[in-house]
Amino acid sequence: MKLWSITFCLLFISHSTHSASFNTGPVFSAFGKHAPVEGVALPDDAHFKVAFDVAKGANPGEINRAFESLARFINMHAAAGVAKENLQLALVVHGSATLDVLTNEAYKSREGTNNGNQALIKALQKFGVKIQVCGQSTAAHNVKQSQLIPGVNMALSAMTAHALLQQDGYTLNPW
């Protein structure tokens, strides 16, 4: 009985403290829920050059949680006062996530449903996120460049994309 009571209290506290404080914005209103963290301040001159690596695809028709994490990174840092020009981000896509950057038409012909990532990819691109897909993964998944969401760039490989981004000062945020 005591164990059940303690577990219930912890679940209740966890649920009540997390569900009310997560919000979207200020950059994306439909993506990137984040919570403020009291007592944490970033330097006024904080600058981020981060590459996100995503290999695992979403369930058909759903948003890729790793893509959503990139939107969360943007929203939470913008909310913390980091200027847009100080957020330089890249998304390197490979593996089964390759299908998540297909046009809706190409995705629907393969998966039988709409690509749930289309709006998020377009929003990230509008913000200035560089999106690259692994050419080796596109070959493995029989994806042609014409089937990619416009603005998604083909790299020789994910490894190549990361090596070039690191040479340009990007750090890696593996997901």
Side-chain angles (χ1 to χ4, degrees), residues 17-159:
T17 58
H18 287 96
S19 62
S21 62
F22 281 79
N23 296 300
T24 59
V27 177
F28 306 114
S29 59
F31 311 104
K33 286 186 176 185
H34 62 97
V37 179
E38 290 184 40
V40 174
L42 297 174
D44 291 338
D45 62 347
H47 186 267
F48 297 91
K49 285 182 91 171
V50 182
F52 284 69
D53 181 84
V54 181
K56 184 178 179 190
N59 291 328
E62 293 181 12
I63 291 177
N64 189 310
R65 289 195 58 220
F67 295 179
E68 178 87 19
S69 287
L70 206 148
R72 183 174 63 250
F73 186 93
I74 293 168
N75 273 345
M76 76 175 152
H77 285 88
V82 177
K84 176 184 177 180
E85 58 271 11
N86 290 349
L87 291 170
Q88 295 176 277
L89 304 169
L91 174 61
V92 178
V93 179
H94 58 107
S96 62
T98 300
L99 300 181
D100 293 341
V101 294
L102 292 177
T103 63
N104 200 54
E105 182 180 335
Y107 188 91
K108 195 169 190 174
S109 73
R110 288 173 182 249
E111 300 295 323
T113 188
N114 291 323
N115 184 351
N117 297 287
Q118 188 98 11
L120 176 55
I121 292 292
K122 289 180 180 182
L124 292 171
Q125 289 173 325
K126 186 175 179 182
F127 183 80
V129 174
K130 297 177 184 182
I131 302 174
Q132 298 182 49
V133 64
C134 173
Q136 305 305 301
S137 292
T138 60
H141 290 281
N142 197 26
V143 170
K144 295 174 180 50
Q145 190 154 1
S146 62
Q147 296 175 306
L148 299 174
I149 294 171
V152 172
N153 297 307
M154 182 93 64
L156 178 61
S157 69
M159 296 177 289

Side-chain angles (χ1 to χ4, degrees), residues 158-174:
M159 296 177 289
T160 306
H162 281 297
L164 292 171
L165 287 165
Q166 287 176 5
Q167 289 174 26
D168 194 27
Y170 283 75
T171 60
L172 176 62
N173 181 22

